[in-house]
């Protein structure tokens, strides 16, 4: 099959979004059998997600789609897709005892594997080589410990090899976000057009990227790191909200001091139950809070001026409800007009960009170990994607002439699936 045929075939299949709860459930133990099943899920799911993105990239306006960096991104997606389909040099264990090979009526657990197989029956026939091990030969009604296989060592070897491949792929895509951003900015400068479809495309693309990196990160962590208390892969089952906010505050204040040459950044007052915790990926929440605090601090400094004797505090309030944990971040930085409010979420305009020096951008990327995204004015829309990824949201309410309230809503139920499109 040609590359295009593979893309067209795979992109016909729906992407299977997982919830935080499912990720934790399937990562509970790190025995070879369970990891093997997760690996097989990824082996089918990742090419589908990548194919969807390749198709999206192919549908961009030609002037944009043919730009240098975007073409390279498309090629990287294609290469990664093919590497996962081919599994070159990776041996898929053929280790099922004969009587388990074709179970007559498997008692499927209500699991994502079940849904996946139902959604993708012909994919399994066309895309997977039937002479190799296939995960639907496994009886999911029993807890999977690896013992039902003849050679758990070969499962372990597959898990290691596959996680190495995924690690290579993840590294290949490290700079995709900023590469896209750069070409989009250049496209905007050239055409002077603000195209809503590009906004939609980028929201979808970056959301997908968050999901793919989450799944890969989770798998690699489960395969290669020893179990830890209160942690499943890269998910913390008891993420302490106050600690995350305090960490983000330190980083944001640090950036603020550097970029405005201040002795002290505006104060940040945090009102949060110190024992409050939830299941979450700490880095995602840190990213969102950090991004909002940076904006609040910047607004405060610019509203009162760098020479001000003192600044009104940025106030953070955290409240736990039945469904949500809500984090409100309030600044008195003068707010913004309703005309500006659509621009805040736009990838095509940048609000921060123009008022900040290149220094600021450099500092942000060097000092904060964030992806080089920050500084392109993509911070807020990306932060919102991180909160939406696990079923939360991020909202801004401006009181023009006074200040801004930002709300991060985190879904405590952890049952909503990745919002993939
Ligand atoms: C502002 C603009 C903004 C964006 C995001 C978060 C806080 C703030 N404050 O003035």
């Amino acid at each position: 099959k040609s590359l295009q045929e593979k893309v067209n075939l795979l992109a016909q299949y729906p992407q299977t979004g997982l919830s935080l709860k499912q990720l934790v459930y399937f990562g509970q133990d790190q025995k070879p059998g369970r990891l093997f099943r997760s690996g097989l899920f990824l082996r089918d799911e990742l090419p589908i997600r990548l194919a969807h993105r390749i198709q999206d990239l192919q549908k961009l306006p030609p002037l944009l789609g043919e730009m240098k960096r975007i073409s390279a991104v498309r090629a990287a997606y294609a290469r990664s897709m093919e590497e996962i389909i081919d599994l070159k040099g990776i041996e898929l264990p053929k280790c099922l005892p004969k009587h388990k090979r074709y179970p007559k009526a498997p008692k499927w657990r209500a699991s994502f594997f079940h849904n996946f197989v139902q959604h993708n029956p012909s994919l399994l026939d066309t895309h997977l080589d039937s002479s190799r091990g296939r995960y639907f030969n496994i009886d999911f009604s029993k807890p999977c410990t690896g013992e039902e296989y003849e050679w758990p060592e070969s499962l372990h070897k597959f898990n290691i090899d596959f996680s190495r491949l995924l690690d290579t792929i993840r590294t290949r895509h490290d700079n995709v976000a900023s590469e896209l951003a750069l070409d989009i900015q250049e496209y905007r400068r050239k055409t002077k057009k603000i195209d809503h479809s590009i906004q939609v495309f980028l929201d979808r693309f970056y959301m997908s990227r968050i999901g793919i990196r989450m799944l890969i990160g989770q798998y690699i962590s489960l395969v290669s790191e020893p179990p830890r208390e209160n942690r499943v892969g890269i998910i913390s089952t008891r993420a302490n909200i106050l600690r995350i906010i305090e960490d983000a505050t330190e980083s944001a204040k640090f950036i603020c001091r550097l970029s405005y040459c201040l002795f002290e950044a505006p104060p940040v007052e945090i009102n949060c139950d110190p024992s409050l915790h939830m299941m979450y990926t700490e880095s995602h929440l840190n990213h969102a809070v950090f991004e909002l605090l940076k904006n609040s601090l910047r607004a405060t400094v610019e509203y009162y001026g760098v020479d001000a004797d003192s600044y009104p505090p940025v106030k953070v309030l955290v409240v736990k409800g039945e469904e949500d944990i809500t984090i409100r971040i309030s600044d008195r930085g003068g707010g913004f007009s309703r005309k500006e409010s659509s621009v805040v979420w736009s990838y095509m305009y940048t609000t921060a960009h123009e008022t900040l020096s290149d220094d600021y951008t450099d500092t942000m990327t060097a000092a904060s170990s964030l992806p080089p995204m920050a500084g392109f004015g993509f911070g807020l829309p990306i932060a919102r994607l991180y909160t939406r990824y696990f079923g939360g949201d991020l909202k801004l309410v401006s009181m023009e002439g006074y200040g801004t309230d930002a709300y991060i809503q985190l879904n405590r139920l952890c049952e909503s699936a990745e919002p993939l499109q």
Side-chain angles (χ1 to χ4, degrees):
K1 282 202 176 67
S2 73
L3 171 65
Q4 192 61 51
E5 282 170 332
K6 288 180 203 163
V7 169
N8 293 347
L9 172 68
L10 288 170
Q12 282 173 23
Y13 296 99
Q15 307 169 88
T16 303
L18 302 185
S19 68
L20 200 44
K21 231 183 194 165
Q22 283 173 312
L23 280 166
V24 167
Y25 177 80
F26 291 109
Q28 266 167 10
D29 73 50
Q30 292 168 243
K31 298 204 175 100
R34 203 186 276 269
L35 292 170
F36 178 60
R37 282 163 55 187
S38 302
L40 290 177
F41 170 75
L42 291 184
R43 194 242 161 145
D44 281 343
E45 176 65 11
L46 293 176
I48 294 175
R49 295 196 186 188
L50 295 170
H52 278 268
R53 302 293 64 84
I54 295 168
Q55 267 198 342
D56 269 9
L57 285 162
Q58 288 171 338
K59 286 186 209 144
L60 285 174
L63 222 49
L64 182 60
E66 281 151 26
M67 291 177 87
K68 194 170 80 258
R69 295 187 191 88
I70 292 194
S71 302
V73 167
R74 199 169 48 235
Y77 269 67
R79 177 162 178 206
S80 301
M81 185 189 80
E82 295 205 291
E83 284 181 0
I84 300 175
I85 294 173
D86 296 342
L87 290 183
K88 212 172 274 143
I90 300 182
E91 200 148 344
L92 254 172
K94 278 187 276 182
C95 57
L96 296 174
K98 194 132 194 109
H99 66 278
K100 283 197 180 156
R101 204 153 239 167
Y102 299 108
K104 269 168 250 134
K107 282 182 233 117
W108 299 107
R109 270 262 176 89
S111 71
F112 71 86
F113 286 97
H114 185 189
N115 294 333
F116 180 71
V117 172
Q118 282 201 327
H119 278 134
N120 306 276
S122 57
L123 172 72
L124 292 169
D125 293 329
T126 54
H127 156 63
L128 294 181
D129 179 348
S130 59
S131 67
R132 300 184 183 177
R134 292 163 74 168
Y135 63 76
F136 57 82
N137 295 331
I138 299 165
D139 182 357
F140 293 124
S141 64
K142 297 202 185 75
C144 183
T145 58
E147 277 89 45
E148 66 264 46
Y149 302 98
E150 282 174 320
W151 305 298
E153 323 84 73
S154 68
L155 295 185
H156 183 64
K157 183 168 185 316
F158 171 85
N159 296 340
I160 300 281
D161 290 349
F162 191 50
S163 72
R164 294 228 170 92
L165 171 65
L166 293 184
D167 194 28
T168 310
I169 287 170
R170 182 173 60 174
T171 309
R172 174 180 307 142
H173 293 252
D174 274 348
N175 298 322
V176 157
S178 49
E179 294 286 294
L180 266 186
L182 286 168
D183 266 3
I184 298 273
Q185 305 263 310
E186 196 180 320
Y187 176 76
R188 186 201 51 174
R189 274 200 303 276
K190 273 191 197 149
T191 61
K192 306 255 183 288
K193 267 200 303 207
I194 308 285
D195 187 343
H196 181 66
S197 69
I198 291 174
Q199 178 76 17
V200 175
F201 161 79
L202 283 175
D203 269 331
R204 194 163 58 218
F205 195 91
Y206 286 138
M207 181 65 94
S208 165
R209 186 169 181 277
I210 292 171
I212 291 171
R213 292 178 86 79
M214 179 75 203
L215 296 190
I216 291 181
Q218 185 71 359
Y219 180 75
I220 291 176
S221 167
L222 289 170
V223 169
S224 56
E225 286 165 22
R228 273 210 277 159
E229 214 186 333
N230 299 330
R231 187 163 286 276
V232 174
I234 53 176
I235 297 166
S236 170
T237 51
R238 288 173 65 90
N240 184 286
I241 307 296
L242 177 60
R243 221 208 65 230
I244 294 170
I245 295 175
E246 283 174 342
D247 285 354
T249 301
E250 279 314 301
S251 316
K253 279 183 162 180
F254 177 71
I255 298 296
C256 178
R257 285 199 304 272
L258 282 182
S259 52
Y260 293 103
C261 295
L262 295 175
F263 183 63
E264 267 208 274
V268 176
E269 290 174 11
I270 305 170
N271 183 349
C272 173
D273 173 357
S275 66
L276 184 61
H277 60 82
M278 72 179 293
M279 199 193 283
Y280 216 75
T281 309
E282 287 169 350
S283 63
H284 289 191
L285 183 56
N286 180 292
H287 183 106
V289 175
F290 171 65
E291 194 56 43
L292 290 176
L293 283 171
K294 261 182 351 195
N295 276 281
S296 284
L297 292 174
R298 191 188 67 227
T300 305
V301 171
E302 298 203 341
Y303 197 55
Y304 286 83
V306 284
D307 307 323
D309 291 331
S310 67
Y311 297 102
V314 173
K315 292 189 179 173
V316 183
L317 176 65
V318 184
V319 173
K320 171 176 150 184
E322 279 300 315
E323 185 180 342
D324 280 346
I325 288 176
T326 307
I327 304 172
R328 185 185 69 189
I329 302 176
S330 312
D331 68 59
R332 284 204 251 151
F336 48 88
S337 68
R338 278 190 292 147
K339 193 157 70 218
E340 284 171 299
S341 63
S342 64
V343 165
V344 173
W345 303 112
S346 170
Y347 298 100
M348 298 287 277
Y349 293 92
T350 71
T351 42
H353 197 79
E354 272 93 17
T355 53
L356 295 169
S357 67
D358 288 343
D359 267 5
Y360 184 87
T361 313
D362 292 345
T363 326
M364 295 235 291
T365 41
S368 67
S369 74
L370 268 180
M373 282 300 306
F376 290 115
F378 278 40
L380 285 173
I382 299 269
R384 186 168 66 171
L385 294 181
Y386 273 114
T387 61
R388 286 181 173 172
Y389 177 63
F390 282 131
D393 207 352
L394 197 168
K395 289 166 183 153
L396 290 178
V397 179
S398 156
M399 289 175 75
E400 196 189 4
Y402 180 76
T404 304
D405 286 335
Y407 296 86
I408 296 176
Q409 294 161 325
L410 304 169
N411 191 327
R412 287 184 61 209
L413 307 178
C414 305
E415 278 167 0
S416 79
E418 300 167 272
L420 305 168
Q421 288 170 20

